[in-house]
Amino acid sequence: MKTVTLSSLQAFKRAGEPFSCLTAYDASFARAAGDAGIEVLLVGDSLGMVLQGHSSTLPVTLEDIRYHTRCVARGKGASLLMVDLPFMGNSTTERLLENAGELMRAGAELIKVEGEAWMADGIRELTRRGVPVCAHLGLTPQSVYQLGGYKVQGREAEQASRILEDARTLVEAGASVILLECVPASLGRAVTEALDVPVIGIGAGPDTDGQILVMHDVLGVTHGRTPRFVKNFMAEADDIQGAFRRYHEDVKARRFPAPEHGF
Ligand code: KIV
């Protein structure tokens, strides 16, 4: 695979070619995912749940993310490395800039921030300083207590228009990528069509430019109730590399997500 950059993601969008994204937390799995063709790796704060055993992403610290970013950066090969800003990492603009700087120094190539239109100023400050940003909208797990649980967002017309407007505002502020989590497929399509920048979806239907899943879900090592948008690719593969390849190929061929994975 050729080195994946933001320009590659924009080219995928222009060509109507979907791209695959997967979380990764260490060098070995990052290498396996890159070898399978996965274009974007995310050091997600989901590590608080799948690695550390917490019930939310809130306990994850900058130091945790920085450590796993360094690990993934060593194994990532040609994939683009996106990294999550942890909970409260944006509590002030100074903190946001310093934290993003630390993560870029650790190997991040794209910083993902959760937040709505109010994040516009922070995104403007980051992009002014050369830090590319992915803005995460819809179900934002760092706000799980405010949202009252891990629920689909944007089901009502008013909330759906607000998510679309927030996405427009954040792109105007400089966001290079939008990530939409757990929204109706119709909203996933509307946001993707309305924006010039690539839109990555998880539980956002089949029409977003890219798809992302948590690695543990792809490998079927999720405990408890699995969300509807998840598929265990290990069930159809002989080994981990095969499961990653199957996920990548199914995204590229638009076989995943299927209608049953959407809202
Ligand atoms: O932290 C994470 O893994 C994420 C994905 C679920 C998109 O934000």
Side-chain angles (χ1 to χ4, degrees), residues 63-182:
E63 199 37 56
D64 293 333
I65 297 276
R66 189 165 45 183
Y67 170 77
H68 289 282
T69 299
R70 286 206 187 103
C71 296
V72 171
R74 290 184 201 114
K76 76 170 198 72
S79 309
L80 179 74
L81 179 50
M82 171 158 71
V83 173
D84 252 341
L85 189 76
F87 178 61
M88 283 294 164
N90 54 1
S91 55
T92 62
T93 306
E94 288 69 34
R95 207 152 171 220
L96 169 70
L97 297 179
E98 271 178 27
N99 290 343
E102 286 299 317
L103 298 178
M104 296 293 285
R105 273 182 219 110
E109 295 167 325
L110 176 64
I111 299 289
K112 178 161 82 61
V113 293
E114 295 187 14
E116 298 167 345
W118 60 267
M119 265 307 293
D121 288 342
I123 290 176
R124 208 168 284 118
E125 294 301 326
L126 285 171
T127 51
R128 225 176 237 167
R129 289 165 177 82
V131 176
V133 178
C134 169
H136 183 155
L137 293 168
L139 170 57
T140 45
Q142 291 172 9
S143 308
V144 63
Y145 294 113
Q146 193 173 49
L147 297 174
Y150 297 100
K151 297 178 185 164
V152 179
Q153 304 295 306
R155 280 203 196 272
E156 283 89 42
E158 197 182 316
Q159 203 193 17
S161 331
R162 213 197 59 225
I163 292 173
L164 176 55
E165 272 323 298
D166 286 353
R168 281 203 174 104
T169 303
L170 297 181
V171 170
E172 265 167 37
S176 306
V177 178
I178 295 289
L179 187 144
L180 276 182
E181 178 163 354
C182 264

